[in-house]
Amino acid sequence: MNTFKGIFPALITPYTPGGELNEASLVALVERLIRQGVAGFYAMGSSGECFLLDEAERRRGLEVVFAAAGGRVPVIAQIGSTSTRQSVRLAEHAASLGVAAVSSVSPFYYKYDFAGLLTHYRAIMDAVDLPMIVYNIPSLSGVTYTLDQLQQFGSDPRIVGIKHTSQDLFQLERIRALVPRLTVFNGFDEMFLAGLSMGAHGAIGTTFSFMAPKFIRIQRLYEAGRMADALAEQHSANTVIAALIAAGVFSGTKHFIERQGIACYGCREPMQALHPEHAARLDALLDQLEPLADD
Ligand code: MN9
């Protein structure tokens, strides 16, 4: 069985009223999502505001998620950063906990050629004995890989998968066809059904933190060949996601999680607070989300 098949929420980082890591909220969120049937977690990625946290917070956040998951589902630790040294340190910490895999965004800000990027990934993989999932997110990292470069990643057996946060589903299909052993995670929730149909094994996404059951159903319906029903679910999810994108995905996601009873206290600056008008628009969509079993 593929450990990395299915729905993996890219966890947010909830805060206390004072703006510190809210461990109780993070534990409650992990617990709820496990009960809802998620396949695992992606911790300390973009949705976790990892680049707005200091290194100690990134470590602590991962520890909290890992302990809360309690070995029931795999945890993937996003350890990428702008520097190889810091990524290696974070990977070593993640490995010491016993996570299932590490994942690294491409180092960004400075520009590197592909050989340099490969050296970065190899340094992390040499340091820890853990599978690596390449986090491909050109829209935020500014690093766009060609198919040939993704294939080169695939020639290192320590790289087991790709988180494909790109609308290029032709590339997703090609990488599945050319390197069949790689696990491919769809990255844009709003295109999940399309990603599945092009060969994605599962998905890592922000919105699964407040509407996981919808996405679990999309995958089940797709696997049962019920495409029209799967599309109806994707339409319903996308009505919410369209409003979320207009509002700000991360602050909007936290708003929904708050409405579902888990305190988050917004996003860290320089991310902006949710505008009240957007909050009202999101509230009007609450009936698209099913009631929580634990309510
Ligand atoms: O993890 C997420 N992408 C980003 C993947 O964080 C940029 C997605 O889940 C999006 O937040 C979501 C909304 O566009 O699909």
Side-chain angles (χ1 to χ4, degrees), residues 10 46-47 137 140 163 165 187-190 204-206 245 249-250:
S46 314
S47 310
I137 180 163
L140 290 185
K163 171 176 167 0
T165 307
F188 281 121
D189 311 0
E190 52 274 36
I204 294 169
T206 317
I245 290 171
V249 172
F250 304 124

Side-chain angles (χ1 to χ4, degrees), residues 239-288:
T239 305
V240 176
I241 294 174
L244 207 60
I245 290 171
V249 172
F250 304 124
S251 56
T253 292
K254 285 179 157 179
H255 180 78
F256 278 128
I257 295 171
E258 293 238 346
R259 287 288 189 250
Q260 293 177 332
I262 296 178
C264 293
Y265 294 100
C267 293
R268 195 168 267 186
E269 288 164 345
M271 286 203 197
Q272 298 298 296
L274 191 65
H275 192 282
E277 249 172 52
H278 285 302
R281 270 182 227 154
L282 296 183
D283 284 343
L285 292 167
L286 274 168
D287 61 355
Q288 297 279 327

